Amino acid sequence: VNTSGYEGEEETDRLPIGRPITHLKVYIEREGKLCGIGVPGELCIAGDGVARGYYNRAELNAEKFVNNPFGEGRMYRSGDLARWLPDGNIEYLGRIDEQVKIRGFRIELGEIETRIRAIEAIKDCAVIVRADADGDKAIYAYLVSDEEVSLSEIRDRLSEAMPEYMIPSYMMQIEEIPVTRNGKLDR
């Protein structure tokens, strides 16, 4: 049974992180409004287990620990991109700071990476935004696979699950994703 809302995507393609524990309230919000099932947004946490803030980081506290607009107390803005699944679990999609605006559309690069990694032959991928030859922002995807993949087939698979404006304009298969000494993507 496909309950994901994406054509051709199976239950096993998800990366659920579970459900909220007792005494915690979890919200997924975008632009101050709660998101419905399947709609990506920022993962926010409120309730008894939320910390008071970061030690000696007043500016960061003001950004991350805010008054809860959906209930009582304080709310922690995690900076993580997530969405509710129909079964009540939460699916992690990446980081909000990987969210970009291209041609008026807000795009979550982590969601694109999640969709690409769900394609059978793909081992890993990295999605970035950079200026194309015309100077316009464009989405680039770098794919890692043990076999040669057809980029047109990848594009077709993505078009089944995502709107056209989220499909990378440029794709390239590479041997491995370059990382820094800390293990982060070396953009």
Side-chain angles (χ1 to χ4, degrees):
V1 173
N2 177 10
T3 58
S4 68
Y6 289 99
E7 195 65 34
E9 182 180 60
E10 296 299 326
E11 192 79 25
T12 58
D13 292 339
R14 295 192 183 148
L15 300 171
I17 57 174
R19 301 169 187 242
I21 60 173
T22 307
H23 305 297
L24 281 184
K25 300 252 188 263
V26 173
Y27 306 101
I28 298 178
E29 68 93 28
R30 174 183 273 179
E31 298 175 4
K33 296 183 179 143
L34 293 175
C35 296
I37 294 171
V39 179
E42 182 175 12
L43 180 68
C44 300
I45 304 165
D48 295 339
V50 175
R52 292 183 187 163
Y54 297 110
Y55 182 69
N56 287 335
R57 303 284 308 267
E59 188 175 308
L60 189 57
N61 286 337
E63 177 188 338
K64 295 291 189 178
F65 292 89
V66 299
N67 289 328
N68 183 356
F70 310 113
E72 297 179 14
R74 313 252 310 141
M75 179 175 80
Y76 173 65
R77 301 178 60 95
S78 72
D80 292 321
L81 183 66
R83 68 179 176 174
W84 287 108
L85 296 174
D87 64 3
N89 281 301
I90 297 168
E91 180 182 22
Y92 175 79
L93 298 171
R95 294 285 301 161
I96 291 289
D97 52 15
E98 295 174 353
Q99 193 177 72
V100 295
K101 202 167 190 177
I102 299 177
R103 294 182 301 279
F105 294 104
R106 179 164 282 136
I107 298 171
E108 292 90 7
L109 299 180
E111 184 175 3
I112 297 170
E113 287 180 352
T114 298
R115 298 292 156 232
I116 292 173
R117 285 187 184 113
I119 296 172
E120 196 172 304
I122 302 300
K123 280 179 41 182
D124 199 4
C125 72
V127 176
I128 64 169
V129 171
R130 59 193 310 188
D132 63 13
D134 299 330
D136 297 325
K137 286 183 182 176
I139 303 170
Y140 287 69
Y142 298 92
L143 317 171
V144 177
S145 178
D146 288 333
E147 58 192 71
E148 181 135 357
V149 295
S150 164
L151 299 180
S152 62
E153 282 182 33
I154 301 292
R155 191 168 273 111
D156 290 344
R157 289 285 306 275
L158 292 175
S159 68
E160 294 171 4
M162 296 187 308
E164 187 66 32
Y165 65 85
M166 289 180 69
I167 296 174
S169 301
Y170 304 96
M171 288 193 244
M172 175 186 280
Q173 185 171 348
I174 59 177
E175 287 185 27
E176 63 183 32
I177 302 296
V179 293
T180 64
R181 279 189 270 167
N182 296 336
K184 295 183 178 182
L185 175 65
D186 186 353
R187 295 186 188 280

